[in-house]
Amino acid sequence: MSMLQFSDVLAAWPMFLGGLGFTVFLTVVSCTLGTLLGIACAGARLYGGRITRGIVACYVEFFRNTPFLAQIFFIFFGLPSVGLKLGSTSAALLSLTLNLGAYACEIVRAGIEATPRGQIEAAESLALNGWQIFTRVIVPPALGRIWPGLTSQLVIMMLASALCSQISTAELSYVANFIAGKTFRNFESYIVVTLAYLVLAIALRTLLAWLGPRFIFGRLPHPSA
């Protein structure tokens, strides 16, 4: 058995760095848009009209019960047949955002449903309108309740971005495949990329654990205060 040789693989570090940066870009954009979409869909599913609730329910069930890879292929290869052609980056971002939005919808909905009715009534007594109540009274505490679960879903979405390599999106997994084919050092290439994803996942989880209580839902007073 030949010995491991990392020199050829590590010599391509600029490509790995570019793939890493692109993975971070995909993660930041899709997680931000997907979370906002999930919050909007959760609100629509709980407070919208019958037709709106039905449309959102169909969207959620479709994206939660079909393979993510099939969704990517449908958006990138299928939509051009109806005149909507997207580049690999746009298709990757749309796929990640729609998939995360469906999962985030159900996670956020669980947090919203746990909001005490008295809290909403108190906001109504202060003459706040529906938008103000939803964005200032309902959503922040709901995010605080479900933040660990939502964080896990965001990390899963970052890892799932590796599937975007199947439509030639130049993220980390695509770069690893390219370098492996060029150097014939498959094992070494995938060791490097696996460690990179591990570091990214830990860093993202740590960052979200720090951001949440400080900038997203931590500004509200504690219920016992």
Side-chain angles (χ1 to χ4, degrees):
M1 186 168 99
S2 62
M3 301 214 25
L4 296 179
Q5 296 285 344
F6 284 93
S7 57
D8 292 341
V9 174
L10 295 179
W13 67 266
M15 293 186 65
F16 273 115
L17 192 59
L20 181 68
F22 202 76
T23 295
V24 171
F25 166 75
L26 290 176
T27 300
V28 171
V29 175
S30 63
C31 285
T32 301
L33 296 178
T35 300
L36 292 175
L37 177 61
I39 293 172
C41 288
R45 195 161 188 184
L46 288 172
Y47 306 114
R50 182 176 179 181
I51 295 177
T52 301
R53 292 198 305 269
I55 293 174
V56 173
C58 290
Y59 154 67
V60 169
E61 293 304 315
F62 176 81
F63 279 93
R64 292 180 72 217
N65 293 287
T66 55
F68 180 54
L69 186 59
Q71 297 166 20
I72 296 175
F73 285 167
F74 174 78
I75 289 174
F76 186 68
F77 296 113
L79 291 184
S81 64
V82 294
L84 183 57
K85 185 176 182 179
L86 299 175
S88 60
T89 300
S90 298
L93 286 173
L94 181 59
S95 302
L96 290 165
T97 298
L98 291 176
N99 186 273
L100 175 59
Y103 282 92
C105 173
E106 293 302 281
I107 295 172
V108 173
R109 184 163 71 100
I112 292 176
E113 288 179 332
T115 302
R117 179 59 192 169
Q119 191 172 332
I120 299 175
E121 292 174 349
E124 291 173 341
S125 69
L126 295 174
L128 297 180
N129 59 40
W131 173 254
Q132 291 172 323
I133 293 174
F134 183 73
T135 57
R136 300 181 185 181
V137 178
I138 297 177
V139 171
L143 290 177
R145 295 185 195 99
I146 52 86
W147 194 247
L150 183 59
T151 294
S152 295
Q153 190 60 47
L154 295 178
V155 172
I156 290 172
M157 207 71 261
M158 184 274 293
L159 298 175
S161 68
L163 292 174
C164 295
S165 64
Q166 299 300 308
I167 57 171
S168 299
T169 305
E171 47 74 57
L172 191 56
S173 181
Y174 177 86
V175 170
N177 291 334
F178 178 83
I179 294 174
K182 186 177 180 181
T183 63
F184 300 101
R185 290 292 176 181
N186 297 329
F187 192 70
E188 293 89 334
S189 297
Y190 295 125
I191 286 178
V192 172
V193 76
T194 298
L195 291 176
Y197 276 117
L198 177 62
V199 171
L200 277 178
I202 294 173
L204 179 58
R205 191 180 300 275
T206 303
L207 177 64
L208 291 173
W210 180 82
L211 284 176
R214 288 168 176 80
F215 299 103
I216 298 177
F217 52 82
R219 295 181 178 179
L220 292 180
H222 193 276
S224 61

